[in-house]
Amino acid sequence: MPYVNIKITDEIVTHEQKQELITGVTELLVSVLNKNPATTVVVIDEVPTENWGINGSTVAKLR
Amino acid sequence: MPYVNIKITDEIVTHEQKQELITGVTELLVSVLNKNPATTVVVIDEVPTENWGINGSTVAKLR
Amino acid sequence: MPYVNIKITDEIVTHEQKQELITGVTELLVSVLNKNPATTVVVIDEVPTENWGINGSTVAKLR
Amino acid sequence: MPYVNIKITDEIVTHEQKQELITGVTELLVSVLNKNPATTVVVIDEVPTENWGINGSTVAKLR
Amino acid sequence: MPYVNIKITDEIVTHEQKQELITGVTELLVSVLNKNPATTVVVIDEVPTENWGINGSTVAKLR
Amino acid sequence: MPYVNIKITDEIVTHEQKQELITGVTELLVSVLNKNPATTVVVIDEVPTENWGINGSTVAKLR
């Protein structure tokens, strides 16, 4: 029943990589907390680099 | 003053359906908790099926 | 599979009222979008009034 | 180390304005709470007006 | 109508400091984007240091 | 720079388990997406069972 939200910058993440993130997080919750994978939800948000700030600057500017 | 965030997979949700969700949630908060609708905010996020995971798999793969 | 997060101020909400919110939101998603209730997750966050701001002021100050 | 999420309607916000929001929020956390700007993350979500509800209506309808 | 969520570690933040954060963020959204302060919502979440991770470690361990 | 939020029911999760979740998620982001662990933030929210709904019911009622 856990819900996991992963926010990353939108910089060409493949379907395969998303699948790996989702499998990896789900397995982690099963192994550490014995959660039920059937109701474990993972949502990935890809954020444009001009909408992500770190150290007071957009990532778009840092790249 | 409540804030409600609804996350669903991005699979052709019409403006009319979004309107129904927003009206329904707002009325629910008014009727159950007597909240003020004027400051009740509802945000709907439509998530691509390859970014949504359940049971360790992307929804894109399950469809 | 939808995920809904409801944020409200922490001002004595009963278990019964939380149950009504959860039932109401779930039924809304079933009726409007034909979602599966078995994987519809609703999470309620109760936020202390001094941590909730509106119009530039904490709610604690407004009450 | 703070994480800040700003949700606004998607109505032509320039890169410059996003930069101002990110700088402003980061400086606020440094000045009020003495946080380290190097690990202060700000994420801006721009939400389509038909996905944003207030007072039981989509913003798209109100505009 | 913006919604802002500030997540910080739970390490003795005073009501006065929360008030400053809320006022500061609200003024920023008014000045940069001309938003209406009356419907600008700010929610502060104070997260226990053992629930906050950075660089693969809980903050509780780092302190 | 990723930000990960893990929401689970509040049912006696130890500091050690939280540490394992944080390490596991951080290593996953490093291995799959080559992210920098130093700016990878993980926040765990423990939600009371009466505030978590699934299948139209609070978890408190289901337990």
Side-chain angles (χ1 to χ4, degrees), chain C residues 42-59:
Chain C
V42 183
V43 170
I44 300 169
D45 291 327
E46 296 171 279
V47 178
T49 54
E50 73 172 44
N51 288 26
W52 193 295
I54 181 100
N55 203 10
S57 168
T58 67
V59 172

Side-chain angles (χ1 to χ4, degrees), chain D residues 27-46:
Chain D
E27 287 176 352
L28 186 68
L29 284 156
V30 171
S31 88
V32 176
L33 295 178
N34 200 27
K35 294 293 185 183
N36 179 4
T39 52
T40 295
V41 173
V42 183
V43 170
I44 299 170
D45 291 328
E46 295 171 280

Side-chain angles (χ1 to χ4, degrees), chain A residues 6-57:
Chain A
I6 300 174
K7 284 187 197 291
I8 49 180
T9 44
D10 187 7
E11 296 175 286
I12 313 180
V13 179
T14 67
H15 187 170
E16 190 48 39
Q17 289 172 317
K18 292 173 186 176
Q19 179 58 60
E20 286 179 54
L21 290 176
I22 287 166
T23 305
V25 166
T26 304
E27 287 176 351
L28 185 70
L29 284 156
V30 171
S31 87
V32 176
L33 295 179
N34 201 27
K35 294 293 186 184
N36 180 4
T39 51
T40 296
V41 174
V42 183
V43 171
I44 300 170
D45 291 328
E46 296 170 279
V47 178
T49 54
E50 73 173 44
N51 288 26
W52 194 296
I54 181 98
N55 203 11
S57 168

